[in-house]
Amino acid sequence: EIKDAIMLMIPDGRADPAFSAQHALLNNPAPLDEVVDSTALHGGWSSYWKGFAKEITVPVMSTIGEFDGLWDTSKEAIDKFAAAFEKTSVEKSVVADAPHCIELSYQGKGVLVKFMGFAMQCAVGYSLNAKK
């Protein structure tokens, strides 16, 4: 119940209450390294993540739920995250009325369509530029 409240905001109507049983099936303990990274990212980017981000050259899409219980959804934090990708463009957005697990919420289908559209645009752009 606590995890559902943080990740899906089920009590607040951001995901289907019937999903709790399915969410329990998906539950796995987080590896310690992931927990450490998450803690570092929440409080500020660790230097090794910034090192990776600055070398990325493919377009990046960053989407976060408005009611994310784990990450900072402020404009400042989102802009700081995007700025770490020095060699590419970053499409960033905050999804209204979405929790941390956007893809499992009521906003999930729309976000998945958005992701697929972004991937298609990237693929077409790559193809067009390869012909030059």
Side-chain angles (χ1 to χ4, degrees), residues 37-49:
D37 284 347
S38 296
T39 304
L41 289 173
H42 188 67
W45 274 62
S46 62
S47 59
Y48 88 96
W49 275 104

Side-chain angles (χ1 to χ4, degrees), residues 28-73:
N28 289 301
L32 181 58
D33 288 345
E34 184 176 329
V35 174
V36 170
D37 284 347
S38 296
T39 304
L41 289 173
H42 188 67
W45 274 62
S46 62
S47 59
Y48 88 96
W49 275 104
K50 284 182 182 177
F52 287 128
K54 73 180 184 179
E55 297 302 323
I56 302 293
T57 58
V58 296
V60 172
M61 179 179 222
S62 173
T63 303
I64 191 166
E66 176 185 13
F67 296 102
D68 193 303
L70 299 177
W71 305 107
D72 183 351
T73 62

Side-chain angles (χ1 to χ4, degrees), residues 8 12 17 37 40 55-56 65 84 86 89 93 95 97 107 114-115 123:
L8 294 167
D12 297 328
D37 284 347
E55 297 302 323
I56 302 293
E86 299 173 7
S89 61
S93 65
V95 178
D97 294 314
Q107 291 287 34
K114 184 177 181 177
F115 292 160

Side-chain angles (χ1 to χ4, degrees), residues 60-108:
V60 172
M61 179 179 222
S62 173
T63 303
I64 191 166
E66 176 185 13
F67 296 102
D68 193 303
L70 299 177
W71 305 107
D72 183 351
T73 62
S74 69
K75 181 179 181 337
E76 178 182 87
I78 293 165
D79 289 345
K80 185 177 179 181
F81 173 83
F85 297 89
E86 299 173 7
K87 296 180 179 178
T88 191
S89 61
V90 178
E91 185 175 311
K92 56 192 179 194
S93 65
V94 175
V95 178
D97 294 314
H100 177 79
C101 293
I102 302 171
E103 70 282 5
L104 304 178
S105 74
Y106 289 127
Q107 291 287 34

